[in-house]
Amino acid sequence: AGKYTIGISNTVQGNGWREEMICAMKAQALASGEVAKLNIAHRNTDAAGQLEDIRNLISAKVDAIVVNPADPAGIKAGLEEATKAGIVVVAVDQAVTEPSAYIISNNQEQYAYLGAKWLFQKMGGKGEVFYMRGAAGASADSDRDKGFKKALAEFPDVKVAQEVFTGWQQDQAKQQILSFLATGTPINGIWTSGIDNVIVDALVEQQAPMVPVVGADNAGFVGQLSSVKDLVGAAVTNPGSIGGAGVTLALQILDGKKPAQQTVLVEPQLWENATDEGKAKLKSVVDSSLSPEWPVSISIPDWTTYSKEQIVACKGPGE
Amino acid sequence: MTTSPLLDATGVAKNYGAVAALRNASLSVLPGEVHALMGANGAGKSTLVKILTGAIRADAGRILIRGEQLDIRSPAAARRAGLLPVYQEPALIPDLDVLSNLRLTGTPVEPFRAWVRELGIPDLDIRETARHIPLAILRVLDLARALAVEPDVLVLDEMTAALPANLAEKVLEVVRRQGDAGRSVIFISHRFVEISALCDRATVLRDGSTVGVVDIEPGIEERIVEMMLGTRIEKTRVSARAANDVTTAAGSRPRLSVRNLQLGTKLNDVSFELANGEVAGVFALEGQGQDELFAALAGSIRPTGGSIGVDGAPVKFSHPSDAIQAGIAYVPGDRTEALAMQRSVRENIALPFSAALRKWGPIRMRREQVVVSSAVARLQIDTRAQGEVQRLSGGNQQKVTIARWIAANARTILCFDPTRGIDVGTKQEIYKLLRELAGQDKSVLFYTSEIEEVQRVCDRVIVIFGGRVVDTFPVEQADEASLMRAAYGLPRGARADVGILAEVKPGSNAEAAS
Amino acid sequence: MTDSATMPQPVSIGRRLKRFMADRPLIPLIILLVILVVILQMLRPGIVNERWIANTAKFAIPLAILAGCQTMTMLTGGIDLSVGTVATMSAFIMATQIVNQDPAVAFLLAMLPAVLIGLVNGIGVGVFRVHPLIMTLGTSLIGTGFLQVYQRTVIASGARIPDFLNWLGTGVTYGFPNALLLFMPVAVLIVFMLNRTGFGRLLYAVGDNERAARLSGVRYWQVITALYILSSLLAGITGLLYIGLIKAPSLSLAEPLVLPSVAAAVIGGTSIFGGRGGYMGTIIGALILTVLTTLLTILQMPEGGRRILFGFIVLFVTAAYLRIIEDR
Amino acid sequence: MSRFLRNQGWVAGLFALLVFLFIITKLIQPGYGSGDFGSLARAVLPYAFAVAAQTIVVIAGGIDLSVAAMMALTSVTAASMMNGASEEYALFVVPFVLAMGLVLGALNGVLIVVTRVPDIVVTLATLFVLQGAALLVLGAPGGAAAEWLKASVIGTVPISGLPDWADAWVPKALLLLVVCLCIIWIPLRRSRLGLSIYAIGSNELAAFRSGVPVARTRIIAYALSGLFGAMGGLSLTISTGIGAPIPGPYLLASVAAVVLGGVALGGGKGGLLGPIIAVFVLRLVRTDLTLLAIDPNVTAIIEGAIMVAVVMFGAFITIRGRPAGAMP
Ligand SMILES: Nc1ncnc2c1ncn2[C@@H]1O[C@H](COP(=O)(O)OP(=O)(O)OP(=O)(O)O)[C@@H](O)[C@H]1O
Ligand SMILES: Nc1ncnc2c1ncn2[C@@H]1O[C@H](COP(=O)(O)OP(=O)(O)OP(=O)(O)O)[C@@H](O)[C@H]1O
Ligand SMILES: [Mg+2]
Ligand SMILES: [Mg+2]
């Protein structure tokens, strides 16, 4: 029934967050009623591979491209070509350096800053923190590192006991935390880059002293925050549904409603279980029916219009 | 004898772990002589050659070339020093064509072509990939490649072992001329005929040590054998055809009957029978279809026509396991085709026991041990390096390929040149073994490239030429001259002594002769 | 004079020791492992305790089983790159099917793709003679695709880790990880199979010289098909164990284990060209890799430096091992 | 003729497949034109260099798992050197990075020769080392590339004597690829060194006995592989304008294309043309899947299936093509 064809390019496959993002895009395209067809290029690759996908989408003559960039600068050439070909370009999740592109993104630096600051406060402004980063060399990871370091600078008595890269992989993270716990090094808090539920599992399994844990709003971790005894922690939202917002933005632009500025930032929220108010909020968002890797914030007010059934069904127009 | 030696090696030793391949070997070669290097299987001949030509490093020893002590660290260095080997295993690169192989070694092409022609291969296509060239031809090409650079010392390790009679003859002729032209040749062979026809002197190795140097003169053979083996051996004529032979008597069915076998252009209307308790020889020049005949009987390739019967019942083989099931075992001439080189002697011998799906379960180790050891003992395999078959000497590897089927108690054995590269002592053992097998009512089909062997072991000789059975001789009539005539496809003069086969299928000789 | 009587040939002691180790290639491997553990203990005194050992075993076990798949396939000159996908598939299917299904049914459903992929691999390699690397890479791509399609259908129903797997994966009894209950029989079975059964013999023979095996009556395709199915089944079981350990079903759960599983087998002395190797070495190879990972986590150095060190240690360990067992 | 078919039949078949795919593409998207072909050429560039790097060591009887890491390291090195530097400085950067690839590749070879550890383990170790080094050079994606370099893969080359429409079908990227590969490959292929590389891959013992300096040849093969890897890394920097320390998906892709291209894993056989055509085929398949807007999860299944099917088909015709009566 719709009139537009939207191309989508994503470079990480098989990760719960990204899968939710794709489903949000499909659901939003369907819910909007304006999209005839989605053309999704979704695989594991690097910036060069994403350039290839973008150029293929240009060849396929789509009306708009929504892209989760492998790198802010690395796909500039492709995005420029797309704009030249009259295609609307929207980047989600991360910024891009191409000036003609519109950006709707989670604020990654703020994401890390918010969580780290809460954590350091919970630690009483001093002590040792176990810093579990994402993938070494990924741009989202280095943005988050900036935010984390910013918070760290505000708390001079907080020290990083150990810094590890989980590669955003559950098994590596778990092995790392277990090895670390086995060393008996005392810590006062754990900051994770979103690989969180396995960390809590490890603490429980090893009957290690519970320390405050910061993670993302993944279904598994959010559930743990309300159910695991003695666990104090906070989930910082990093909605995968940003993909749906990207589709909405693209459609608005296609319909001639250009936003005031090129970049729209979705600010993260922090849900903690240390206060009653926070607990109530957590209770309201817990969703045990989702896969533990999926963020619970499956919609973004004002930006997405699909229902939970639609995103869970993960069907786009014409499917 | 006043000339100083071209090559002089003394006190050469080489250990492989616990195995002493060479203890104290010496070898002295004069300019212009053809010098035989002799020794039983595993005596260390190949090892010495490899050391002389830089393929492996000796643990001890001194090597002088033209009186100079040279440190030869690689085959390339040996080549610069004027030493060129033709090893026991072909050294052409299988995936390169002949021309590229020549360029790789910097061999001039025209002299190479000339030598190839000289050596009896008139129509070589030098763009052919080495992998697709038969083993025997490869050996000759290897030799031609060495000759083409006119080396001072040519080292030939069992050059003639894999060659059919016609090619071997040419090789001998050429090697002989090398000596006449003032170049030296180190010649390794287990065949005394060749040694006495060709060589001036011989160095004899036993258990890794040089035990003597002798001039070749008539009657020296006994001496050499004595030195090689440390004892005197009985050189009996094992043959004396078994009593049961032609008594393919009325009632008893032949073990194997082949009728009008057809295989593309390679085999044409081949028919013969193999009786119980018979050793039938197959004699042919290179490439007359004997390879295909054996492969077809072994279930390795599917014939395009004709039929095979076992014990009177027709069979169709689609895989070697079918043939094995029918009691037919195949010992290929090329041992690299038959052995798992990194595995132990025991595993290699016991391999057929596990082949069938229903034998995949637990192995009865004790029983296996007994069966394997008795086969090892029966063939007198030197088991010092039994952990890996590749560490056995060439001859001992050959024995393992036969031992496997002795252990499996196969009823019909197809031996394709089984004595290739086997020393005199062991050869006698194998002849005896084959006769014994026949005595135990087993049947053997035996292809050989040596006429002498045919006469010594077989009850009957089937001659193949151009993919056809051209004649069949009872062993008494299988003299060298008539075998050769038949092998070249010449008709037999008299028709009085027709072979057994002719009675079965009249007219086949006439066809072949026309 | 008396010297020579009391000390006969001092040189030969080193040689004898070397020969001793060469005959028992496991001993130098174990020594290398111990050296790594000692270094670890020196870097972080007190780390090597009961708990650490149990943790190391927990992570080494899934790796060791997958490395067992590699060992067996490598013996035939092959490699099985689909084990990661197969393990992930069974884990994911188990975790999602258990929600609505009987555990036994869920288990069968979880093992089904393993058998299928093994069968396809076996037929591809054994009958069509596709190179194992390509064949298993291809089936693993196909498997991943199917898993993603499947994932769509079960998002609504959610996932759960069965308690039994949880117990098996993470539980510890008297200081011993429960996973040993699964691993011990598997290891004994593999070792026994490789050394004392006809099938094991054939794996070596086929990998060493396929033509020779054929002439001895071995049907290549039978051996290979059985092998890849077995390998896939083991991978599937590993997946179940692993999900019990990690407790988070994701679509790339076991992928990170694939390259290390190959490395463990090679470090343990199995030749990738076939015909040579064994499972005991592989087990120790897996332990070495796991300890190494811990060692590097503990080191306070930039990630880049850590990876460089890891690479060099793997190389050094393998080279040292080869030097020791070579008897020439 | 029959020998030509035996030697080149695979490449010819692959080329036919490529032409067939172009026709399909034109049918799917009638507007597919020279500009889109230019995009294809640019997409092919890094893969083609990765495949060239892999091909040369595979022919020499080895395998190089560090290809992608080598590309990452050379890419970040180039990008960080050119960051904020003048346009002319890039004239120095390019040869420097190429030399670096050559040296690091040679190092791979030296390690293999000296340690006598199997190629697969050595290059797995260097994979980690190079990755670590890349992270030390650039902790996160960044850097820059000179404008003239970026321009060198964009657009087409005017060739005198060719009409404009034909010019449009000669993208700079394609020309660059052809020139870079031919400059090295053609003289190599005809030289004694080239033959030596084939020889050590075909039969190392025979090569040694033919007087080939095996160790040196192996080192050179890896050095050339490193050089191609550096070209791949540069092409990444040139096309994206940055360097990324995390290796892209070039390792498995390179192995797959090598096999698809008719180069036998194990060595001694094949050439460079086949694998390069295979890269075009694989990239074009991806284009077609995007043009068709196939469900991305199904694309994984299709790509895997195509890879397996092509190789299976090849194996099948090889079996059928054997001389009369022969069996597999
Ligand atoms: N790589 C090796 N490892 C261990 N032992 C070896 C190795 N190579 C050879 N040997 C042993 O060295 C001895 C001499 O072998 P060599 O090949 O020199 O014998 P040969 O005289 O050429 O015998 P043949 O006539 O059978 O070819 C044998 O006992 C053999 O088992
Ligand atoms: N695993 C084994 N270990 C030792 N010897 C064996 C083994 N299997 C078979 N043999 C021996 O090999 C010979 C032939 O065995 P094979 O199994 O082929 O005979 P068969 O007639 O098919 O017997 P069956 O029908 O009982 O299997 C026998 O002499 C037997 O003793
Ligand atoms: Mg020899
Ligand atoms: Mg039987």
Side-chain angles (χ1 to χ4, degrees):
Chain A
K3 49 191 168 179
Y4 300 122
T5 302
I6 293 187
I8 287 164
S9 166
N10 174 45
T11 58
V12 178
Q13 198 177 27
N15 155 307
W17 194 94
R18 297 281 183 132
E19 295 299 328
E20 186 187 271
M21 180 189 82
I22 298 284
C23 288
M25 290 168 161
K26 287 185 171 184
Q28 184 58 34
L30 187 64
S32 71
E34 289 190 74
V35 181
K37 194 172 83 175
L38 282 182
N39 194 338
I40 306 175
H42 171 48
R43 57 172 171 148
N44 281 312
T45 187
D46 60 347
Q50 188 159 39
L51 277 175
E52 177 188 1
D53 285 343
I54 290 170
R55 288 179 175 132
N56 283 339
L57 289 173
I58 298 174
S59 298
K61 309 209 183 312
V62 295
D63 298 302
I65 296 178
V66 182
V67 52
N68 186 336
D71 179 85
I75 54 169
K76 186 168 186 295
L79 298 184
E80 198 181 320
E81 285 164 34
T83 309
K84 274 209 195 108
I87 297 171
V88 170
V89 177
V90 173
V92 296
D93 190 32
Q94 297 181 69
V96 288
T97 57
E98 167 58 30
S100 68
Y102 294 85
I103 296 158
I104 180 159
S105 162
N106 295 319
N107 189 339
Q108 298 298 352
E109 192 174 328
Q110 185 64 15
Y111 166 92
Y113 176 74
L114 206 60
K117 190 167 159 190
W118 178 88
L119 178 66
F120 300 158
Q121 276 166 353
K122 257 291 120 308
M123 288 161 57
K126 61 177 194 303
E128 305 272 327
V129 61
F130 189 29
Y131 180 29
M132 305 191 77
R133 300 179 59 172
S139 66
D141 179 75
S142 59
D143 284 349
R144 288 182 179 184
D145 187 48
K146 282 188 208 122
F148 182 87
K149 294 276 159 64
K150 191 168 127 198
L152 198 61
E154 293 172 14
F155 294 86
D157 291 335
V158 175
K159 297 272 172 301
V160 174
Q162 176 103 27
E163 174 180 329
V164 292
F165 287 89
T166 62
W168 280 308
Q169 276 165 357
Q170 317 265 6
D171 64 318
Q172 273 194 34
K174 183 145 189 189
Q175 188 168 359
Q176 285 160 347
I177 180 90
L178 287 178
S179 299
F180 184 76
L181 290 176
T183 66
T185 316
I187 43 166
N188 307 93
I190 301 174
W191 185 92
T192 73
S193 189
I195 297 294
D196 33 30
N197 50 341
V198 289
I199 303 303
V200 176
D201 274 338
L203 292 174
V204 174
E205 270 164 37
Q206 298 293 306
Q207 291 152 358
M210 276 293 170
V211 293
V213 180
V214 170
D217 58 338
N218 300 325
F221 183 59
V222 169
Q224 286 171 332
L225 282 179
S226 350
S227 64
V228 174
K229 198 163 132 304
D230 295 338
L231 173 65
V232 178
V236 186
T237 61
N238 178 37
S241 39
I242 193 78
V247 170
T248 304
L249 180 60
L251 289 173
Q252 284 176 3
I253 299 166
L254 285 173
D255 289 339
K257 288 176 279 182
K258 294 202 172 145
Q261 71 278 50
Q262 291 282 108
T263 303
V264 182
L265 278 188
V266 175
E267 290 302 324
Q269 296 171 13
L270 182 137
W271 307 329
E272 38 77 40
N273 67 358
T275 63
D276 287 341
E277 196 188 332
K279 279 192 183 128
K281 173 74 194 165
L282 278 168
K283 276 260 157 10
S284 69
V285 296
V286 154
D287 191 343
S288 63
S289 68
L290 288 178
S291 146
E293 277 202 312
W294 269 43
V296 289
S297 30
I298 48 176
S299 62
I300 300 177
D302 304 338
W303 283 105
T304 61
T305 55
Y306 50 76
S307 64
K308 179 179 169 189
E309 287 68 40
Q310 278 177 314
I311 184 173
V312 165
C314 202
K315 289 233 184 318
E319 277 187 56
Chain B
M1 284 298 242
T2 47
T3 39
S4 63
L6 192 53
L7 174 101
D8 190 24
T10 43
V12 182
K14 174 78 187 174
N15 290 311
Y16 287 109
V19 180
L22 284 179
R23 295 168 208 275
N24 178 18
S26 54
L27 174 66
S28 176
V29 181
L30 299 171
E33 83 169 328
V34 179
H35 192 111
L37 186 57
M38 306 205 61
N41 292 131
K45 304 176 295 294
S46 297
T47 308
L48 181 58
V49 165
K50 286 176 198 162
I51 288 172
L52 291 178
T53 55
I56 54 175
R57 312 264 300 158
D59 297 337
R62 195 184 56 136
I63 298 167
L64 299 181
I65 294 173
R66 293 179 212 86
E68 245 181 283
Q69 181 152 10
L70 289 182
D71 190 17
I72 294 181
R73 286 167 169 274
S74 70
R79 176 183 277 266
R80 283 191 293 275
L83 236 67
L84 222 67
V86 177
Y87 295 109
Q88 207 167 351
E89 305 82 25
L92 259 63
I93 310 297
D95 290 308
L96 293 180
D97 59 19
V98 177
L99 186 61
S100 299
N101 266 296
L102 296 181
R103 287 183 45 208
L104 189 66
T105 46
T107 310
V109 178
E110 270 323 307
F112 170 80
R113 278 185 196 272
W115 280 117
V116 171
R117 254 173 271 128
E118 191 102 348
L119 286 164
I121 305 170
D123 49 357
L124 176 77
D125 175 4
I126 64 167
R127 302 308 308 230
E128 183 66 290
T129 313
R131 188 182 291 288
H132 298 126
I133 299 177
L135 178 70
I137 308 283
L138 271 186
R139 305 280 299 150
V140 174
L141 297 187
D142 227 346
L143 174 61
R145 188 168 67 160
L147 288 167
V149 295
E150 313 199 336
D152 297 341
V153 184
L154 186 63
V155 189
L156 304 180
D157 193 352
E158 301 199 20
M159 178 66 224
T160 50
L163 297 190
N166 53 337
L167 286 177
E169 241 169 68
K170 295 271 189 192
V171 167
L172 296 182
E173 208 175 284
V174 166
V175 170
R176 169 91 267 167
R177 286 214 310 269
Q178 290 292 303
D180 297 344
R183 298 197 193 90
S184 309
V185 180
I186 299 174
F187 188 81
I188 299 179
S189 170
H190 292 290
R191 298 178 183 168
F192 277 98
V193 243
E194 295 174 1
I195 303 289
S196 45
L198 199 61
C199 301
D200 305 310
R201 293 193 305 154
T203 294
V204 183
L205 284 177
R206 184 168 76 232
D207 290 342
S209 303
T210 297
V211 289
V213 182
V214 293
D215 289 327
I216 301 291
E217 52 201 22
I220 193 76
E221 292 156 35
E222 291 301 319
R223 267 285 312 285
I224 294 181
V225 170
E226 212 171 302
M227 283 198 278
M228 269 168 59
L229 303 178
T231 49
R232 186 163 247 292
I233 64 149
E234 207 65 23
K235 200 175 175 190
T236 47
R237 191 176 172 89
V238 257
S239 163
R241 341 205 267 141
N244 60 354
D245 63 281
V246 192
T247 48
T248 320
S252 99
R253 280 189 297 248
R255 169 61 43 78
L256 197 61
S257 57
V258 177
R259 293 252 173 286
N260 313 87
L261 201 66
Q262 199 83 27
L263 207 154
T265 54
K266 296 289 192 175
L267 287 182
N268 208 344
D269 203 18
V270 171
S271 302
F272 65 89
E273 282 177 354
L274 181 64
N276 284 311
E278 180 191 35
V279 180
V282 172
F283 185 74
L285 303 175
E286 170 66 16
Q288 302 303 314
Q290 64 269 42
D291 307 62
E292 287 79 10
L293 173 63
F294 275 68
L297 294 180
S300 266
I301 42 179
R302 220 184 298 238
T304 47
S307 65
I308 301 172
V310 174
D311 293 330
V315 288
K316 279 238 180 318
F317 300 148
S318 63
H319 188 275
S321 66
D322 297 338
I324 292 166
Q325 205 54 45
I328 301 176
Y330 172 48
V331 180
D334 180 4
R335 53 186 168 264
T336 60
E337 212 175 297
L339 296 175
M341 287 293 178
Q342 301 176 75
R343 308 309 305 167
S344 66
V345 169
R346 174 177 175 166
E347 277 181 49
N348 269 286
I349 292 178
L351 186 53
F353 300 154
S354 312
L357 202 57
R358 70 196 155 82
K359 303 279 188 68
W360 283 10
I363 297 169
R364 290 161 65 186
M365 298 304 264
R366 290 269 290 288
R367 173 168 157 222
E368 182 185 283
Q369 178 64 41
V370 172
V371 174
V372 169
S373 344
S374 85
V376 165
R378 193 150 173 201
L379 277 117
Q380 296 175 339
I381 297 173
D382 171 1
T383 51
R384 282 178 303 163
Q386 63 176 316
E388 288 184 20
V389 164
Q390 64 186 345
R391 296 186 182 173
L392 296 183
S393 75
N396 278 302
Q397 290 177 1
Q398 193 74 33
K399 289 194 236 171
V400 174
T401 62
I402 303 174
R404 169 185 291 164
W405 297 114
I406 303 293
N409 208 6
R411 285 161 58 219
T412 312
I413 301 188
L414 312 174
C415 284
F416 197 91
D417 216 2
T419 54
R420 188 182 283 184
I422 284 191
D423 69 49
V424 271
T426 315
K427 268 187 188 169
Q428 297 293 324
E429 290 299 327
I430 289 185
Y431 302 151
K432 217 155 65 198
L433 182 78
L434 294 183
R435 289 310 329 173
E436 262 171 46
L437 290 175
Q440 291 159 8
D441 216 26
K442 307 225 180 318
S443 314
V444 178
L445 190 66
F446 176 65
Y447 166 76
T448 175
S449 46
E450 285 178 70
I451 285 192
E452 198 199 29
E453 285 191 341
V454 179
Q455 297 160 327
R456 191 162 285 182
V457 195
C458 303
D459 299 315
R460 206 155 53 96
V461 187
I462 299 163
V463 182
I464 296 185
F465 173 75
R468 290 168 188 272
V469 172
V470 287
D471 212 341
T472 304
F473 298 84
V475 70
E476 301 82 8
Q477 296 160 17
D479 57 291
E480 191 159 329
S482 22
L483 278 180
M484 264 321 196
R485 277 174 67 85
Y488 277 102
L490 304 173
R492 222 199 280 195
R495 306 280 307 164
D497 47 355
V498 199
I500 301 162
L501 202 75
E503 290 163 12
V504 178
K505 188 179 180 300
S508 70
N509 282 336
E511 263 175 48
S514 61
Chain C
M1 291 271 218
T2 44
D3 270 283
S4 63
T6 48
M7 269 182 59
Q9 296 156 334
V11 254
S12 77
I13 290 179
R15 273 197 138 223
R16 282 227 303 274
L17 190 67
K18 218 179 149 202
R19 182 146 330 136
F20 175 78
M21 301 242 244
D23 289 344
R24 293 166 192 74
L26 278 186
I27 292 178
L29 262 188
I30 293 173
I31 294 175
L32 286 170
L33 176 63
V34 170
I35 291 175
L36 283 178
V37 174
V38 169
I39 294 176
L40 188 65
Q41 172 70 12
M42 287 190 322
L43 286 176
R44 268 295 158 91
I47 182 174
V48 181
N49 54 27
E50 208 176 276
R51 207 155 104 191
W52 176 83
I53 293 175
N55 277 339
T56 305
K58 272 189 219 166
F59 278 95
I61 285 171
L63 181 60
I65 305 183
L66 288 191
C69 302
Q70 304 300 356
T71 306
M72 290 187 300
T73 42
M74 274 161 60
L75 285 178
T76 65
I79 192 164
D80 191 348
L81 294 184
S82 66
V83 289
T85 301
V86 169
T88 308
M89 284 178 99
S90 351
F92 196 85
I93 293 175
M94 185 73 185
T96 47
Q97 288 297 326
I98 195 82
V99 179
N100 300 322
Q101 300 279 7
D102 190 63
V105 176
F107 174 76
L108 288 180
L109 284 174
M111 298 315 279
L112 188 68
V115 175
L116 279 179
I117 288 188
L119 183 68
V120 173
N121 281 341
I123 291 176
V125 176
V127 178
F128 288 92
R129 307 298 177 121
V130 178
H131 194 284
L133 200 141
I134 290 295
M135 193 64 216
T136 55
L137 192 64
T139 48
S140 113
L141 268 180
I142 297 172
T144 308
F146 275 115
L147 190 57
Q148 274 164 349
V149 173
Y150 167 78
Q151 185 216 216
R152 291 287 147 72
T153 67
V154 292
I155 289 171
S157 54
R160 182 166 70 77
I161 314 299
D163 296 335
F164 172 71
L165 291 185
N166 206 338
W167 175 85
L168 194 64
T170 59
V172 173
T173 314
Y174 303 120
F176 290 98
N178 296 339
L180 281 176
L181 281 180
L182 174 69
F183 181 65
M184 281 302 183
V186 167
V188 168
L189 223 71
I190 295 181
V191 171
F192 179 80
M193 187 202 78
L194 289 182
N195 294 322
R196 289 292 165 92
T197 68
F199 181 62
R201 283 278 175 81
L202 297 188
L203 294 185
Y204 285 99
V206 156
D208 190 316
N209 187 344
E210 193 202 315
R211 293 177 67 177
R214 188 177 136 85
L215 285 182
S216 298
V218 180
R219 288 181 190 262
Y220 181 76
W221 71 268
Q222 288 178 346
V223 179
I224 293 297
T225 309
L227 165 69
Y228 280 89
I229 291 178
L230 182 64
S231 169
S232 261
L233 274 176
L234 276 179
I237 289 171
T238 314
L240 299 188
L241 180 66
Y242 203 53
I243 188 77
L245 175 60
I246 304 297
K247 294 201 276 196
S250 81
L251 296 189
S252 52
L253 182 72
E255 290 299 338
L257 292 182
V258 177
L259 276 188
S261 73
V262 177
V266 179
I267 289 176
T270 299
S271 159
I272 53 156
F273 303 113
R276 197 194 282 263
Y279 189 50
M280 291 305 283
T282 303
I283 297 176
I284 301 176
L287 278 170
I288 288 181
L289 278 182
T290 313
V291 172
L292 205 52
T293 314
T294 311
L295 187 68
L296 291 168
T297 309
I298 299 299
L299 287 177
Q300 284 289 8
M301 60 193 309
E303 178 68 13
R306 249 185 299 208
R307 289 199 191 171
I308 293 179
L309 200 62
F310 180 81
F312 277 125
I313 295 178
V314 167
L315 185 57
F316 175 78
V317 166
T318 321
Y321 175 58
L322 280 185
R323 276 282 175 291
I324 294 169
I325 62 162
E326 255 176 12
D327 56 354
R328 257 149 281 165
Chain D
M1 187 61 203
S2 81
R3 186 157 59 225
F4 172 81
L5 273 185
R6 197 166 68 210
N7 294 339
Q8 300 297 329
W10 185 254
V11 177
L14 212 53
F15 189 75
L17 178 63
L18 181 64
V19 171
F20 174 73
L21 276 174
F22 270 117
I23 295 170
I24 295 279
T25 312
K26 194 75 187 166
L27 288 180
I28 299 172
Q29 178 67 283
Y32 190 90
S34 58
D36 304 295
F37 181 67
S39 297
L40 177 71
R42 271 177 286 174
V44 159
L45 209 53
Y47 284 98
F49 285 121
V51 165
Q54 194 67 263
T55 301
I56 198 161
V57 289
V58 169
I59 287 177
I63 191 156
D64 188 354
L65 298 188
S66 69
V67 171
M70 175 75 77
M71 288 168 69
L73 175 60
T74 46
S75 167
V76 289
T77 307
S80 65
M81 284 174 83
M82 288 191 274
N83 200 6
S86 68
E87 289 281 298
E88 296 77 48
Y89 186 60
L91 282 175
F92 163 74
V93 172
V94 171
F96 175 83
V97 168
L98 292 180
M100 180 173 136
L102 196 74
V103 170
L104 289 175
L107 187 74
N108 255 338
V110 169
L111 286 176
I112 290 166
V113 167
V114 171
T115 63
R116 280 181 275 152
V117 173
D119 312 53
I120 194 163
V121 185
V122 171
T123 54
L124 182 68
T126 44
L127 175 153
F128 286 107
V129 173
L130 297 179
Q131 240 181 49
L135 279 171
L136 292 184
V137 175
L138 269 187
E147 290 305 322
W148 67 266
L149 272 178
K150 286 199 234 174
S152 70
V153 292
I154 293 179
T156 58
V157 198
I159 298 174
S160 57
L162 268 191
D164 278 356
W165 67 265
D167 262 357
W169 286 89
V170 186
K172 275 191 203 165
L174 182 64
L175 211 68
L176 184 75
L177 176 68
V178 171
V179 168
C180 285
L181 293 182
C182 290
I183 260 181
I184 296 172
W185 185 255
I186 289 183
L188 180 71
R189 178 83 212 232
R190 315 216 156 270
S191 72
R192 188 127 154 217
L193 175 64
L195 288 178
S196 302
I197 289 176
Y198 277 87
I200 63 171
S202 179
N203 183 339
E204 189 178 326
L205 184 64
F208 174 66
R209 289 179 175 178
S210 297
V212 173
V214 175
R216 196 167 72 206
T217 308
R218 174 156 297 133
I219 292 171
I220 292 175
Y222 274 92
L224 289 176
S225 163
L227 180 64
F228 281 130
M231 289 180 182
L234 275 174
S235 75
L236 282 179
T237 303
I238 291 172
S239 59
T240 61
I242 56 154
I246 301 184
Y250 302 106
L251 170 59
L252 289 182
S254 70
V255 178
V258 161
V259 178
L260 266 185
V263 176
L265 288 175
K269 284 201 202 83
L272 189 54
L273 186 61
I276 298 291
I277 296 179
V279 170
F280 272 90
V281 167
L282 289 175
R283 293 298 96 206
L284 198 55
V285 165
R286 171 139 282 277
T287 302
D288 288 349
L289 291 175
T290 309
L291 292 180
L292 286 169
I294 303 267
D295 177 345
N297 299 309
V298 180
T299 52
I301 302 176
I302 295 177
E303 278 184 325
I306 287 182
M307 214 164 82
V308 170
V310 169
V311 179
M312 262 197 193
F313 177 73
F316 182 69
I317 43 179
T318 321
I319 294 170
R320 293 295 297 282
R322 295 234 179 101
M327 289 182 303

